Amino acid sequence: MTCDETFYHRYLNGDDAGLEALIKKYGNPLTLYIDGYLHDVHEAEDLMRNAPLMWTSFPAHLSASISYTFPTKNRNDL
């Protein structure tokens, strides 16, 4: 199990230190990533500050089963 997975499982088991470690590690890069879409660094910072509130309100048993897919274009659509 990787370090990030360990932190995530600690968070799911009620240890806030796991979440804090993930935020410390990924907070700035994620803020900059969000800013790339919003073009407003202050809004991006606000989203990152509120992200733990959203994560804690999302049922843990559902978050483990979510998979993300990104739409792809078919060659014929280009």
Side-chain angles (χ1 to χ4, degrees), residues 1-10 18 21-22 25:
M1 190 178 301
T2 67
C3 188
D4 292 345
E5 287 177 298
T6 303
F7 289 140
Y8 183 65
H9 286 286
R10 285 175 51 191
L22 288 171
K25 183 173 181 179

Side-chain angles (χ1 to χ4, degrees), residues 27-73:
N28 288 336
L30 282 173
T31 299
L32 294 174
Y33 180 79
I34 293 168
D35 179 50
Y37 284 97
L38 300 179
H39 304 290
D40 185 339
V41 73
H42 300 294
E43 284 293 321
E45 289 171 344
D46 286 344
L47 280 173
M48 279 306 298
R49 266 190 234 107
N50 292 323
L53 297 174
M54 291 183 282
W55 297 337
T56 56
S57 65
F58 196 75
H61 70 280
L62 294 177
S63 65
S65 64
I66 292 176
S67 64
Y68 298 95
T69 58
F70 297 95
T72 58
K73 288 190 175 186

